[in-house]
Amino acid sequence: MPLGVDTSDFLQEKVKRSERTIRQRDERIAALETENAMLYLKLAQCQGSAQHERQKSTRLLQMIKLDHDYKERVSQELLELSKQVKVLKQDLGTMKAAMRQMPPEMALMLEGFKRQTLKVQRMFLSENRGLEGLQKRIQELEVSLVTANERHAREKKRRQMLHNTLVELRGNIRVHCRVRPLMDFDTGSDETSTLGRQGTLSEQVVHVVDDETVVVKASSRPGQGTKAFEYERVYAPLECQDAVFEEVQPLLTSLLDGYNVCIMAYGQTGSGKTHTMLGPPQSKDYGYHDEEHHNPQEGVIPKATRELFRLLAEKPPDTHTVEVSVVEIYNNDIRDLLGGDDRKHDVLTAGDGSLDVPSLTYRTVEGVQQVMELVQYGMKHRAEDATLIHSHSSRSHLIVTLTVTVNSGVVTPTSPITDYNVFAVPQSAPPKSERGRRTLPVPSSPSPIPHHMHSKTRSRSPSPARPPTPINCFKTKLQLVDLAGSECVGMSGVTGAALRETSYINKSLSALADVLGALAEHRAHVPYRNARLTHMLQDSIGGDAKLLVMCCVSPAQRYLSESLQCLGFGQRARQVQRGPIKRKFIAAGPAIDTGRSSPRPTSALSRKGLQTI
């Protein structure tokens, strides 16, 4: 640079230009950056659009592919349909050809049918006369069959009446047999689905042939075959309680006519004795409801009591009294189920030769409701236990006794007696059997038996100057007996006290069979005193009473031995002949014998002004 030249102005100008150039570049850079940012934004938008277009293109490609596949599938189906159409066209052609051939064939077939129809018509016309004859013959046979059935029914009824008359004259014991249905417990350890199946323990071997015959299939036992037993009445398994009572009902009329009556159920444990006598043992009231509502499941005891009070209701009021006693014979001891004590009771012989247990409790009743309350009370205290055969096995013999005293009329000493052929003599003393009876007054303390069921004290007031004397007074007993079931110890599985009970039960039933055997064979000595059961029922078994024995039988194979023993017992009971049964009268003066046998010798009881006939 030349000397003397001032360079400051030059440098400042240069700096300004440089600053201006830098500022322009910065502005250019800022503009470029702004443009670059806008370009980046546009690039992002372009990329988004490109991505959207690619997705759209992919969807279009998929749709094109699906459309292509659909077209291929439709084309294949069209090919199949075209083939089927070709086949249908061929079939249609064949059918058209067959249709063209059908009219002549149908004409031929119709012509053949016409010929057959004419032939059948000619046969029907030719046989119509014979058919009319057969119809007339059938009508005649139907009329003859109805006449024969009516005649058979009349003859059967007549035969039954004659048989009953013969039984009445001979004094035989009436024996009925009831076969219960098969139950689930008859299978034992087998499945219940095998119930009744042939070859199993529950196979039915006892069959009812008719209302008088029962057959036992014992061919499985060596040396034995089919055995038949006949009784006055046989009840099939499906017969109801009402059918059983229809045969028992006439005996209640005999009871009010002056005859003692005893109905006894005999059989193996679980054979249906308690069900027959009382009703379903599973229910607490044994199926009894009340006096107004009759339950078909009621047994003989409630039905007989209901019928007895129905018959008494038809008689004049205040002419009868009914007393009830409920006892059981447990381990050969008599237990009073109404007395509430464990005192010992003995069977005593009265002055007229009849048997009585004077220490028992007798309750006066006025209706069936009161009787059943007493029976149900006694059943709560009856000995029961569960065995392998029966879950409610009775371990004692139950005896329900209804004593009916009927006064048909009275007469004073000054009144003439023309109809009875007796002399009115004042009654001096009650029978010996009645003096010892224990009839309890109404206690002041609470009692387990309802208050209205307690018997009244029999107090005797001084005799008036002209006392009325009964001229047709009789006292009869209705004994309803539910015997304990005979048991096989090995089958029932009892031990301990139950085994002892079973021993006493079997001994008493064996004693009952011995008594029947002695009566049937007319032995000089009849072992009534071998057991309390036979001793207490002596008047009914071999004495002066109408006795009906209900043999209850289990039909299963596993009880075959017990069933044969029960049926054999019933056969022996039918063979007992006791002579004509006589009515019971307690009449003032000389005795009136209403039977066909000779009168008994005068006893000490008759010397007191009373005679039992």
Side-chain angles (χ1 to χ4, degrees):
M1 179 177 296
L3 297 175
V5 180
D6 189 2
T7 58
S8 58
D9 293 333
F10 177 75
L11 293 172
Q12 290 179 353
E13 187 66 25
K14 190 175 180 179
V15 168
K16 291 180 179 178
R17 285 197 301 273
S18 298
E19 290 177 351
R20 196 168 38 251
T21 301
I22 291 170
R23 191 166 48 252
Q24 290 175 355
R25 287 181 179 177
D26 290 338
E27 292 176 355
R28 179 63 178 166
I29 289 171
L32 290 175
E33 287 179 352
T34 302
E35 185 178 359
N36 190 21
M38 292 178 66
L39 290 175
Y40 272 113
L41 180 61
K42 289 182 179 180
L43 177 62
Q45 291 176 352
C46 291
Q47 287 178 348
S49 299
Q51 181 69 24
H52 178 70
E53 291 298 329
R54 281 196 296 270
Q55 292 177 354
K56 187 175 180 180
S57 175
T58 302
R59 286 197 298 271
L60 290 174
L61 290 175
Q62 291 177 351
M63 293 177 63
I64 292 171
K65 184 178 180 181
L66 291 174
D67 186 64
H68 179 70
D69 295 340
Y70 175 74
K71 288 181 179 179
E72 288 184 353
R73 186 167 62 254
V74 169
S75 62
Q76 291 178 358
E77 292 178 355
L78 288 175
L79 291 175
E80 293 291 335
L81 288 174
S82 62
K83 293 180 181 178
Q84 293 179 5
V85 168
K86 290 181 182 179
V87 174
L88 290 174
K89 287 182 179 179
Q90 294 176 357
D91 293 341
L92 181 61
T94 305
M95 291 179 65
K96 287 181 178 180
M99 289 294 294
R100 286 193 293 269
Q101 297 176 359
M102 188 174 292
E105 293 179 356
M106 290 294 295
L108 293 176
M109 292 175 63
L110 183 60
E111 188 66 24
F113 288 150
K114 288 181 178 180
R115 289 195 297 269
Q116 291 181 4
T117 303
L118 293 174
K119 184 177 179 180
V120 171
Q121 287 179 351
R122 288 194 296 268
M123 292 176 61
F124 178 75
L125 292 175
S126 62
E127 294 179 357
N128 189 25
R129 298 188 186 124
L131 182 61
E132 292 178 355
L134 288 175
Q135 290 178 348
K136 293 180 180 179
R137 180 61 178 167
I138 290 172
Q139 292 177 356
E140 293 175 357
L141 290 176
E142 288 178 350
V143 173
S144 300
L145 180 61
V146 172
T147 305
N149 287 335
E150 293 177 352
R151 182 180 177 185
H152 176 263
R154 290 195 301 269
E155 292 297 328
K156 184 177 180 180
K157 186 176 181 180
R158 183 168 174 262
R159 185 191 67 80
Q160 291 178 347
M161 292 175 61
L162 293 175
H163 176 72
N164 291 333
T165 303
L166 179 62
V167 169
E168 184 78 20
L169 294 175
R170 296 171 61 188
N172 286 8
I173 298 174
R174 295 168 178 80
V175 181
H176 294 184
C177 177
R178 189 179 193 187
V179 182
R180 70 160 172 80
L182 287 173
M183 302 293 183
D184 290 341
F185 60 83
D186 289 333
T187 57
S189 59
D190 299 337
E191 296 290 336
T192 56
S193 59
T194 63
L195 182 65
R197 188 176 300 174
Q198 188 174 4
T200 61
L201 293 176
S202 60
E203 177 187 358
Q204 184 169 352
V205 295
V206 181
H207 304 276
V208 177
V209 178
D210 53 34
D211 58 357
E212 294 181 353
T213 309
V214 60
V215 172
V216 180
K217 179 185 175 184
S219 57
S220 60
R221 306 186 68 186
Q224 295 187 3
T226 301
K227 291 187 176 183
F229 300 87
E230 292 185 356
Y231 303 99
E232 280 76 19
R233 181 69 162 86
V234 176
Y235 305 96
L238 297 180
E239 292 195 66
C240 61
Q241 299 277 67
D242 290 335
V244 176
F245 183 68
E246 285 179 2
E247 304 294 333
V248 176
Q249 188 173 3
L251 293 176
L252 301 176
T253 304
S254 299
L255 178 71
L256 297 184
D257 288 340
Y259 297 93
N260 288 334
V261 175
C262 179
I263 303 171
M264 179 188 307
Y266 179 92
Q268 182 208 6
T269 295
S271 59
K273 301 183 300 301
T274 303
H275 179 84
T276 300
M277 295 302 295
L278 281 167
Q282 293 82 8
S283 59
K284 295 181 180 179
D285 57 357
Y286 292 89
Y288 174 78
H289 289 172
D290 50 43
E291 296 186 13
E292 298 180 356
H293 299 86
H294 168 71
N295 184 5
Q297 292 297 320
E298 289 179 355
V300 171
I301 292 179
K303 290 181 184 293
T305 307
R306 193 188 303 274
E307 178 66 13
L308 173 61
F309 281 99
R310 187 191 69 81
L311 295 174
L312 291 176
E314 299 175 357
K315 297 185 176 296
D318 301 328
T319 59
H320 61 271
T321 57
V322 181
E323 293 179 323
V324 177
S325 68
V326 182
V327 302
E328 69 172 350
I329 300 179
Y330 176 71
N331 290 348
N332 206 32
D333 290 329
I334 300 175
R335 295 176 57 184
D336 188 357
L337 297 180
L338 301 182
D341 54 19
D342 296 331
R343 61 182 296 183
K344 185 176 181 181
H345 303 277
D346 294 323
V347 182
L348 303 180
T349 304
D352 61 346
S354 62
L355 299 179
D356 192 17
V357 185
S359 58
L360 294 180
T361 302
Y362 291 83
R363 305 283 182 180
T364 302
V365 292
E366 298 178 355
V368 59
Q369 180 76 28
Q370 296 178 357
V371 175
M372 291 310 299
E373 286 180 3
L374 290 174
V375 173
Q376 292 170 12
Y377 175 81
M379 291 299 296
K380 292 179 181 178
H381 298 82
R382 187 185 183 186
E384 287 186 354
D385 199 0
T387 66
L388 295 180
I389 301 177
H390 192 211
S391 59
H392 298 277
S393 177
S394 300
R395 314 308 296 169
S396 65
H397 310 291
L398 177 70
I399 302 176
V400 179
T401 304
L402 282 79
T403 304
V404 182
T405 303
V406 178
N407 296 322
S408 298
V410 296
V411 63
T412 61
T414 59
S415 301
I417 304 173
T418 57
D419 297 335
Y420 294 94
N421 193 22
V422 295
F423 297 96
V425 179
Q427 187 173 350
S428 59
K432 181 179 178 181
S433 60
E434 190 173 329
R435 277 179 279 161
R437 283 189 177 178
R438 181 167 60 96
T439 54
L440 301 179
V442 178
S444 58
S445 60
S447 172
I449 301 180
H451 180 77
H452 67 278
M453 304 297 293
H454 288 279
S455 58
K456 301 179 179 61
T457 304
R458 297 177 181 172
S459 61
R460 300 188 179 275
S461 59
S463 299
R466 292 179 180 271
T469 304
I471 62 173
N472 192 7
C473 172
F474 57 88
K475 179 177 293 188
T476 55
K477 291 191 302 183
L478 172 61
Q479 288 183 306
L480 304 168
V481 185
D482 179 19
L483 296 175
S486 58
E487 290 184 0
C488 174
V489 177
M491 185 177 297
S492 61
V494 294
T495 57
L499 180 60
R500 182 169 176 265
E501 295 168 351
T502 301
S503 175
Y504 277 108
I505 291 172
N506 291 338
K507 284 181 181 179
S508 60
L509 295 176
S510 178
L512 180 60
D514 292 341
V515 167
L516 291 176
L519 290 173
E521 297 173 5
H522 303 284
R523 300 178 196 167
H525 172 68
V526 180
Y528 289 111
R529 295 177 179 266
N530 284 359
R532 287 293 179 89
L533 174 65
T534 54
H535 193 194
M536 189 170 181
L537 298 178
Q538 178 176 345
D539 286 344
S540 300
I541 301 173
D544 204 12
K546 292 187 176 182
L547 174 61
L548 186 148
V549 178
M550 184 71 66
C551 293
C552 299
V553 179
S554 303
Q557 168 72 33
R558 64 183 302 209
Y559 311 119
L560 179 58
S561 298
E562 290 77 8
S563 299
L564 289 173
Q565 186 273 334
C566 178
L567 296 173
F569 174 87
Q571 289 288 76
R572 289 193 299 274
R574 292 192 69 196
Q575 298 171 4
V576 176
Q577 300 180 13
R578 303 178 299 173
I581 305 300
K582 295 176 291 182
R583 299 174 67 182
K584 299 290 182 181
F585 279 96
I586 304 175
I592 307 173
D593 191 350
T594 59
R596 280 176 283 273
S597 60
S598 58
R600 294 181 181 176
T602 303
S603 63
L605 193 62
S606 64
R607 289 196 297 270
K608 295 180 180 180
L610 300 173
Q611 176 69 31
T612 301
I613 298 178

